[in-house]
Amino acid sequence: MRPNAQQPPPLDSSRPSPARMYDFFLGGKDNYEVDRQAGAQVKAALGEVMSHDIVWENRRFLQRAVHFMAEAGIDQFVDLGTGLPTQGNVHEIAQEVHPDARVVYVDNDPIVLAHGRALLATNDTTTVITADVREPGTILEHPDLRNLIDFSRPVAVLSVALFHFIGDAADPAGIVRAFRDRMHPGSHLALSHLTVDGPPADEVAQVVDAYKDATSPIVFRPRDRIEPLFDGFDLVDPGLVRPWQWRPGYGPAGPRTEWLYAGVGRLTSGGVPG
Ligand SMILES: C[S@@+](CC[C@H](N)C(=O)[O-])C[C@H]1O[C@@H](n2cnc3c(N)ncnc32)[C@H](O)[C@@H]1O
């Protein structure tokens, strides 16, 4: 891991955090009682199996998408909303294809930096930044990102299970646009998002309620508000689909649910060449 002068801001253990709740759902140990209580509320609403399946379906999509993008020639990755380290992190998969692949992890939860320093990043081509995606300019100008990422070449930006923590007031499409405008043709965007199209409405409402006191509340969107996040990108086959439907042969298969949409877009023109 590259030297990183950041001091993580203090952890807020008084409210559930999406990063720690996700860790709880994935079966990790980096969560507090307040996270487990909110997570238990979700499990009570959806059932243990469905809660497990949604997160693993999503995580398997992320892993296959990274593998796909690396095989497409991408060797630099910006992972927005990284979450806590788990098995099969972005740099591990990318570096199987490109041993020198560069990965910048970005999360606004200080626990990700605290644990990422120890676990996520074990080499000179990977770093972790604590920053808020609602301030894309700060991320794009961050010295640690600029040290590793060369925007005059194709890059992959990941926003996997992130934008459902970004309310409309923060303009999710504008955030993607800020990154897209810096991306060279040939760059990719991988994105997944919880949706109202599929799950029972009462269960969606209970999940929203479980996150209402979290550091980021959760917002489910219909497909027609998720697809525009790919504006300017060409969706690669099979398009915007359930995560389990996205190139299942490309890596570990996941459980099958109807709670998310996922896709990968390729930038064929635009951005800032050179
Ligand atoms: C459900 S986890 C997804 C982790 C990983 N991307 C994956 O799909 O396996 C969502 C992550 O987004 C982060 N997050 C939420 N709002 C954010 C924001 N405004 N800026 C940066 N990260 C954010 C949370 O802290 C959490 O770690």
Side-chain angles (χ1 to χ4, degrees), residues 84-233:
L84 282 153
T86 180
Q87 287 172 6
N89 299 297
V90 172
H91 71 284
E92 292 162 337
I93 296 168
Q95 289 171 359
E96 280 173 15
V97 181
H98 302 288
D100 294 332
R102 295 173 167 224
V103 180
V104 176
Y105 291 110
V106 182
D107 204 290
N108 68 341
D109 191 321
I111 199 169
V112 174
L113 177 65
H115 287 255
R117 274 188 170 150
L119 296 173
L120 262 181
T122 53
N123 56 63
D124 284 345
T125 49
T126 306
T127 195
V128 187
I129 294 173
T130 301
D132 196 306
V133 75
R134 290 169 292 188
E135 295 170 7
T138 303
I139 295 171
L140 286 161
E141 296 310 319
H142 196 291
D144 292 347
L145 181 139
R146 291 174 66 97
N147 273 340
L148 284 183
I149 303 295
D150 174 3
F151 279 100
S152 71
R153 298 195 300 111
V155 60
V157 171
L158 288 93
S159 63
V160 180
L162 168 66
F163 277 107
H164 46 243
F165 295 111
I166 307 297
D168 291 348
D171 186 16
I175 293 170
V176 177
R177 205 160 46 239
F179 285 94
R180 190 195 69 202
D181 287 350
R182 291 288 297 275
M183 290 159 77
H184 194 274
S187 294
H188 288 65
L189 170 72
L191 182 146
S192 69
H193 198 302
L194 285 166
T195 182
V196 287
D197 299 336
D202 62 316
E203 294 184 10
V204 170
Q206 289 178 71
V207 175
V208 171
D209 187 63
Y211 279 86
K212 71 177 185 311
D213 297 324
T215 49
S216 301
I218 205 162
V219 47
F220 286 64
R221 294 189 170 93
R223 182 194 173 99
D224 63 11
R225 305 251 322 278
I226 299 171
E227 195 158 7
L229 296 174
F230 285 98
D231 277 358
F233 294 88

